[in-house]
Amino acid sequence: MQPTLVAVAHGSRDPRALPTASALLDRIRELRPRLDVRLGHIELNRPLLGETLRATTGAAVLVPLLLGRGHHVKRDLPAAAARAAHLRTRVAAPLGPHPLLVEALYERLLKAGWAAGASTAVVLAAAGSRDPDAAADTRRTAALLRERLGGAPVVPAYASAAAPTVPDAVRALAARGHHRIAVASYFTAPGRFATQCAAAAPGPAAAPLGDHPALARLVLQRYDEALARELLPPPAGAPLKLATA
């Protein structure tokens, strides 16, 4: 029997967040109907990750619906997996950076009305983190998106914990002569930060990645990558655990 795929969302007070995550999981189930796919949240929404893991048996792969390496991926998810001593677990890599994310960002921008032009530019709006690896991942995604947009400038900006902010990035681009500026929403679901960043857009503001088909394919790819890693033996006297990213 295949290990359960536990998709781990951050959680949000925005009432649109939970239906969005549920819609993404429905897409994943359509792609792989025989796979047990469950949802767990780090905070704010139920089911919480601990609740989901307690109700799961056998083995599970935790796939973070998070876009880069940060505290949740490096600390919270491995800790939750370790507490689930009744399970054989491993934690998959975060979703970003990855070309499938860039494809989803590109299509969301097109749907919002972005069009190439001499004075166009894009702000890639992300949540932000104090972890330098998370910032590096966002910068890598910005570089990949710039390539996908044919060289249009793409500047990463943040809702919290890092600089520049989205308004600061917009002002800097305008000062450089870019007067058609769109905001790409580097969020998996609607929430306070995504709404805040979209409100700062002087032009088109793309929707969050949501249940984009490319995101569903990427979740399954991260699951498969985690399963492909070699099993590591458990410490003496400890229950078997799978390798953690």
Side-chain angles (χ1 to χ4, degrees), residues 148-239:
R148 185 65 181 87
L149 295 175
V154 178
V155 175
Y158 306 95
S160 70
T165 65
V166 173
D168 286 345
V170 167
R171 284 190 289 269
L173 284 167
R176 288 158 46 190
H178 299 287
H179 302 299
R180 297 169 59 200
I181 302 170
V183 169
S185 184
Y186 199 39
F187 298 92
T188 54
R192 177 170 61 91
F193 283 165
T195 301
Q196 169 186 319
C197 291
L209 298 166
D211 65 338
H212 192 284
L215 202 64
R217 296 198 303 273
L218 180 53
V219 170
L220 285 170
Q221 182 170 324
R222 293 305 195 211
Y223 171 86
D224 292 338
E225 290 169 351
L227 285 183
R229 293 196 303 269
E230 184 179 356
L231 289 177
L232 298 179

Side-chain angles (χ1 to χ4, degrees), residues 29-95:
R29 295 183 183 107
E30 289 172 3
L31 291 171
R32 204 167 295 184
R34 296 183 181 179
L35 180 62
D36 184 7
V37 179
R38 304 186 184 191
L39 178 64
H41 294 90
I42 295 170
E43 59 182 0
L44 299 176
N45 291 108
R46 299 189 70 179
L48 293 170
L49 177 57
E51 296 171 333
T52 298
L53 293 179
R54 284 192 292 273
T56 302
T57 59
V61 176
L62 282 60
V63 181
L65 302 182
L66 305 170
L67 301 173
R69 297 166 292 169
H71 182 83
H72 293 313
V73 170
K74 293 181 178 180
R75 301 285 184 269
D76 293 343
L77 270 63
R83 287 192 295 270
H86 65 292
L87 287 173
R88 291 176 290 120
T89 57
R90 65 176 64 180
V91 180
L95 298 182

